[in-house]
Amino acid sequence: MPDRLMAPIDRRRILQASAFGGLTAFATPGLAQTLANLGLPAGPSLREMTTAFPQKGAMILQRTRPPLLETPMAVFDQGVFTPNDRFFVRWHWAEIPTSIDVDAFRLKVHGAVERPLSLSLADLLRGLPRVELAAINQCSGNSRGFFQPSVPGGAWGHGAMGNAKWMGVRLRDVLDKAGVKPGAVQVRFSGMDAPVVPTGPDFKKSLSIDHARDGEVILAFAMNGEALPLLNGFPLRLIVPGWFSTYWVKMLNDIEVLDRPDDNFWMAKAYKLPDNRWANVAPTAKDYATMPISTMVPRAWITNLVEGGTVSAGQPIYIRGIAMGGTRGVAKVDISPDLGRHWYPTRLEPEEGRYGFRRWAITAKLPHAGKVPLTVRCTNHGGETQPMTQNWNPGGYRRAGAETITVVAA
Amino acid sequence: MMKAPALPALISVAFVVMAIVLIAIGPPGSRPPRERVATHSPPPAPSSVSGPGLTLMSVSVDLPEDAAAYPDGPHVDTINANCTACHSPSMALYQPPLSAETWHKEVEKMRDTYKAVIDEKDVPAIVAYLAAMSTRTAAGASAAAPKPTE
């Protein structure tokens, strides 16, 4: 941080008006840890760290079977792209194939199409135009553990998300090869995982036919230049830029073009949000309109400071983090040292894809000793800004409000 | 008419066959190393599919087993018998404190929606176990406010 100690004059003026200060509480990503503390308001907050999963590095163990593995926040401080071996993992059912033969693998395309297809990986790797796109994959329930009042569901911290460069072929090109019949309304996706109880609902998700053909939805066979880890969906995963992870079907081997709206459990009943702008209802609310979860909203996090960390007062410090714009690029990220009374703009580093993370940074000073809440909020190019108050819904989905961590200046 | 071969003829044929086998194998210590390699050779290289700039190799992995059981408490046997087939105990143990009513809905969701094979008569015991666990979690959370490290 030496080159950032020389804060410009106007920045210094900002610092006096605000309460920023010296920093010693950098996250320590290299430190071996056996326990992670997610800092969830209602607890329990401690989780084991694990390296027991194939093709994965140190992850926060939420659940062994079926695997739920969370990315430690420190990983997001290392860069805007999340390494494959640190990318979060989430499966609904425990029947997950552990062997994939790339010669035998086939992707079926069927339903309301002129020519049903059975595509090999060679067909996909060699027979169609190649595309690559950076996009964030975020679980609908990311940050659920911070919901207050508490809600049931996977008790994630903020690490059920990741950003990668996804390489593959356009879904549109595959659908065109099959020839979508007039009257098609949706396209349904299913992977190779299966319910433990055979009568349980197989995991399937659907997109509208127009969305499926928009040219941005990808069938990805590589992330960050390499094959996907098996637990992230090897050999093929659906990429739906700007949309929550629930649509990003892993181990994708079945595409069905539907001539009627999908009424399967995972579309009709699960992953439903209150049908309003911030997916927000009072905890006592009943009988409100719902909609299937879809697009993501702007969010931002501080990545080089941790909750409760000690910083030294009176010296310039460097604060940085990541932001996401949802369906639009990140336009600005502001930081507040006083719960939103004053906001200060941060510097944005270059955008590496509008659907990806963007790093922000600021050099600042906390003149006074004491606890300082640091809040960051993102505004996207659509003019959408994170609210100061958190939304609430019973599923613990699509948390949207600006995040605050409290550091101690001393 | 076929005639059964005489015993001396059979013995000599067997001797010749054994001799050929022994010659083929060679004396101990003089066996070509490739035979040992063959005995201990790794499985064949995984099959692969290549396109421009990318090769996908067949993958075979082992996922960790979860031997964990629910911690002791009233009705622990019932929850261990019913609630470990589909998911690890940690799924329930890491939940925030939830009311007995919410736990009841969760257990019913497992039965009705996800088709978990749970006998209706076991439901009250499972809910009681989980509600008691939530009471302990709530007590622990208020006793020690979390100090995150991640």
Side-chain angles (χ1 to χ4, degrees):
Chain A
M1 53 186 265
D3 59 329
R4 289 173 171 106
L5 291 174
M6 310 293 269
I9 298 298
D10 65 329
R11 197 167 289 147
R12 242 180 250 148
R13 192 168 50 75
I14 287 170
L15 307 177
Q16 288 206 315
S18 76
F20 288 119
L23 163 67
T24 55
F26 280 95
T28 49
L31 202 65
Q33 289 173 332
T34 53
L35 284 179
N37 188 334
L38 298 175
L40 308 182
S45 277
L46 295 180
R47 302 284 187 274
E48 278 177 54
M49 292 296 295
T50 179
T51 53
F53 287 80
Q55 304 168 309
K56 306 304 287 185
M59 300 293 288
I60 298 168
L61 181 61
Q62 292 278 9
R63 186 177 70 194
T64 299
R65 185 173 173 276
L68 290 189
L69 308 176
E70 177 165 348
T71 303
M73 280 306 281
V75 173
F76 301 117
D77 192 51
Q78 295 166 16
V80 294
F81 290 106
T82 315
N84 293 2
D85 70 342
R86 310 301 296 279
F87 212 97
F88 88 100
V89 168
R90 190 264 189 270
W91 292 83
H92 294 85
W93 290 114
E95 289 298 319
I96 302 167
T98 52
S99 293
I100 302 288
D101 180 337
V102 293
D103 278 333
F105 176 87
R106 292 292 181 275
L107 170 66
K108 278 179 64 182
V109 184
H110 61 111
V113 296
E114 305 290 349
R115 298 167 294 277
L117 304 174
S118 176
L119 299 171
S120 67
L121 285 168
D123 294 333
L124 296 171
L125 261 71
R126 301 201 285 262
L128 289 164
R130 189 78 72 78
V131 292
E132 189 173 48
L133 178 140
I136 293 162
N137 175 9
Q138 181 185 204
C139 181
S140 307
N142 190 27
S143 316
R144 181 186 284 118
F146 295 102
F147 270 61
Q148 288 187 292
S150 298
V151 294
W156 297 108
H158 296 304
M161 61 176 184
N163 180 37
K165 287 177 188 161
W166 308 94
M167 185 168 73
V169 299
R170 292 184 194 92
L171 173 60
R172 181 180 64 199
D173 292 342
V174 170
L175 292 174
D176 286 353
K177 209 173 159 78
V180 172
K181 283 185 177 171
V185 296
Q186 284 187 332
V187 183
R188 178 156 69 185
F189 308 90
S190 179
M192 297 168 76
D193 52 330
V196 174
V197 185
T199 50
D202 190 18
F203 184 70
K204 297 176 180 185
K205 296 295 284 191
S206 296
L207 299 174
S208 75
I209 188 72
D210 290 343
H211 188 186
R213 300 182 70 175
D214 74 356
E216 286 199 326
V217 180
I218 296 171
L219 312 181
F221 38 68
M223 63 189 282
N224 296 323
E226 295 181 347
L228 284 69
L230 181 132
L231 288 175
N232 292 108
F234 182 84
L236 196 64
R237 180 170 200 172
L238 191 72
I239 305 305
V240 191
W243 282 48
F244 278 101
S245 188
T246 181
Y247 293 93
W248 298 42
V249 174
K250 296 181 290 298
M251 283 192 189
L252 175 67
N253 72 338
D254 192 284
I255 297 178
E256 181 182 5
V257 179
L258 303 176
D259 57 11
R260 67 205 175 283
D262 188 2
D263 61 357
N264 105 78
F265 165 77
W266 298 102
M267 288 300 295
K269 301 266 174 58
Y271 289 103
K272 300 292 280 289
L273 291 180
D275 188 1
N276 59 50
R277 184 176 175 198
W278 292 111
N280 183 41
V281 288
T284 51
K286 305 267 184 229
D287 301 325
Y288 47 86
T290 63
M291 59 180 175
I293 196 167
S294 60
T295 53
M296 298 190 288
V297 292
R299 299 192 73 184
W301 296 267
I302 293 169
T303 57
N304 71 337
L305 286 171
V306 296
E307 169 75 28
T310 304
V311 301
S312 51
Q315 291 176 29
I317 58 168
Y318 174 55
I319 305 170
R320 73 178 176 194
I322 52 169
M324 56 179 284
T327 54
R328 308 288 296 272
V330 172
K332 62 174 182 167
V333 175
D334 301 310
I335 187 165
S336 170
D338 54 12
L339 298 174
R341 280 183 59 229
H342 300 90
W343 290 100
Y344 303 96
T346 68
R347 301 186 304 280
L348 292 180
E349 292 192 5
E351 180 176 87
E352 301 204 50
R354 67 183 169 116
Y355 293 116
F357 286 136
R358 190 165 181 182
R359 184 176 270 179
W360 57 266
I362 188 170
T363 305
K365 200 189 278 184
L366 289 177
H368 306 297
K371 285 187 179 180
V372 183
L374 296 175
T375 306
V376 283
R377 75 172 183 202
C378 175
T379 301
N380 71 12
H381 280 296
E384 202 174 18
T385 299
Q386 290 183 259
M388 264 309 282
T389 51
Q390 295 295 348
N391 54 324
W392 190 94
N393 56 69
Y397 295 134
R398 213 180 78 172
R399 180 171 164 104
E403 301 294 345
T404 300
I405 63 170
T406 300
V407 297
V408 181
Chain B
M1 287 287 286
M2 287 281 287
K3 205 177 148 191
L7 187 62
L10 277 179
I11 288 171
S12 56
V13 166
F15 181 81
V16 169
V17 168
M18 276 176 65
I20 291 169
V21 167
L22 286 172
I23 289 163
I25 293 172
S30 74
R31 290 178 195 177
R34 63 182 169 83
E35 280 206 6
R36 295 183 51 157
V37 170
T39 338
H40 298 283
S41 68
S47 53
S48 64
V49 173
S50 292
L54 185 73
T55 295
L56 299 181
M57 309 278 285
S58 291
V59 167
S60 188
V61 301
D62 289 316
L63 296 179
E65 296 287 321
D66 192 358
Y70 289 84
D72 272 347
H75 312 295
V76 68
D77 292 344
T78 309
I79 194 163
N80 274 324
N82 284 286
C83 306
T84 54
C86 292
H87 62 80
S88 298
S90 70
M91 187 60 193
L93 298 173
Y94 286 161
Q95 291 300 302
L98 302 172
S99 66
E101 184 193 357
T102 302
W103 276 123
H104 188 262
K105 280 185 196 160
E106 288 297 305
V107 175
E108 288 301 332
K109 182 170 79 181
M110 297 301 146
R111 296 176 75 231
D112 296 344
T113 302
Y114 299 117
K115 311 300 179 191
V117 185
I118 299 173
D119 200 319
E120 193 170 358
K121 72 172 169 46
D122 286 341
V123 172
I126 294 168
V127 171
Y129 177 94
L130 292 166
M133 178 192 79
S134 278
T135 304
R136 289 196 301 275
T137 303
S142 58
K147 292 195 179 82
T149 56
E150 279 299 332

